[in-house]
Amino acid sequence: DQQVKQNSPSLSVQEGRISILNCDYTNSMFDYFLWYKKYPAEGPTFLISISSIKDKNEDGRFTVFLNKSAKHLSLHIVPSQPGDSAVYFCAASDTNAGKSTFGDGTTLTVKP
Amino acid sequence: DADVTQTPRNRITKTGKRIMLECSQTKGHDRMYWYRQDPGLGLRLIYYSFDVKDINKGEISDGYSVSRQAQAKFSLSLESAIPNQTALYFCATSDLGGSGSYTGELFFGEGSRLTVL
């Protein structure tokens, strides 16, 4: 049973518009949620995180929203830029266990 | 130089061969992880280690073994490689940080692409 799901394998948006990437989870033990960005031939790099006690965290163009009752989080990128084109992984962390579980990723393409 | 270094970056081998993937880090982190990524799929945890004497199995440890030679080094071995172990392998580290600051953030190497023929 997949504990972290990203139901959209791909997303294409126009430069300047908003990108919204979604993620659902099932395990209530997760206490932090993170987004990672991955370019080809590179390892994933941390983008932004949110604690389970928060409902929003913003960092520049990137905002993560958490709906704990729905076990759903989303990453908003505004405005989207061509350099944002990458694979985005949602990860849920159980910090007590010291482990993270990843979704399958969403490939974002931002068209100029 | 990268903080988390994986060697080799690419390896092609044959079924039944023993393969070792190595990971070293200069971040001074205690926790190290090995993940596997298959096309179109996320990262799945193979093994993780919280310190030199603490090794734990992840969700897909069968067919793999690990060695934590030092705080900075964590190796992944495939004792007898099989074609369905063809994948991209990532090493990662994390740090507990200060009190209340641990988020589970992982720092990844650039990956080791393994092909088993």
Side-chain angles (χ1 to χ4, degrees):
Chain A
D1 184 31
Q2 198 169 7
Q3 297 187 59
V4 179
K5 289 186 180 180
Q6 295 176 253
N7 291 318
S8 298
S10 62
L11 174 67
S12 181
V13 300
Q14 207 66 34
E15 180 178 7
R17 299 292 186 104
I18 185 171
S19 296
I20 300 177
L21 293 84
N22 294 300
C23 180
D24 296 294
Y25 64 96
T26 58
N27 189 341
S28 299
M29 297 301 292
F30 295 138
D31 55 345
Y32 267 91
F33 302 91
L34 307 94
W35 287 92
Y36 292 85
K37 180 177 180 179
K38 184 184 181 305
Y39 292 118
E42 295 183 9
T45 56
F46 170 76
L47 186 59
I48 190 170
S49 66
I50 187 168
S51 163
S52 61
I53 63 172
K54 307 273 188 180
D55 55 17
K56 177 182 176 181
N57 187 28
E58 187 173 357
D59 183 2
R61 297 186 296 113
F62 303 92
T63 303
V64 56
F65 296 92
L66 175 63
N67 183 333
K68 197 173 177 181
S69 61
K71 292 187 170 67
H72 176 84
L73 63 152
S74 60
L75 173 67
H76 292 210
I77 306 174
V78 183
S80 301
Q81 299 174 354
D84 296 330
S85 297
V87 178
Y88 289 79
F89 289 104
C90 170
S93 176
D94 177 351
T95 59
N96 287 322
K99 298 188 293 181
S100 292
T101 303
F102 285 77
D104 289 343
T106 296
T107 300
L108 173 65
T109 302
V110 180
K111 298 181 178 178
Chain B
D1 288 343
D3 293 326
V4 182
T5 302
Q6 293 183 229
T7 56
R9 294 291 313 278
N10 288 283
R11 182 72 184 267
I12 300 173
T13 190
K14 294 183 178 180
T15 298
K17 294 291 187 181
R18 184 178 188 273
I19 293 297
M20 179 180 286
L21 306 179
E22 299 184 328
C23 177
S24 63
Q25 53 116 343
T26 58
K27 298 191 73 67
H29 291 170
D30 286 325
R31 298 184 170 192
M32 297 187 74
Y33 304 78
W34 276 104
Y35 282 90
R36 165 180 171 160
Q37 185 191 9
D38 294 280
L41 298 180
L43 287 81
R44 292 181 291 167
L45 184 61
I46 307 172
Y47 270 96
Y48 60 106
S49 169
F50 288 169
D51 64 40
V52 174
K53 297 181 181 179
D54 182 25
I55 305 287
N56 304 281
K57 292 183 178 180
E59 57 183 307
I60 55 164
S61 59
D62 287 349
Y64 301 95
S65 63
V66 290
S67 173
R68 184 82 184 266
Q69 300 94 325
Q71 188 213 30
K73 295 184 182 295
F74 192 36
S75 299
L76 176 72
S77 293
L78 289 69
E79 296 301 327
S80 179
I82 56 177
N84 77 0
Q85 292 178 311
T86 293
L88 188 54
Y89 291 85
F90 287 103
C91 174
T93 72
S94 73
D95 185 29
L96 280 175
S99 176
S101 68
Y102 180 58
T103 65
E105 180 184 346
L106 295 167
F107 298 82
F108 285 89
E110 294 184 318
S112 295
R113 184 169 297 281
L114 176 65
T115 302
V116 183
L117 301 176

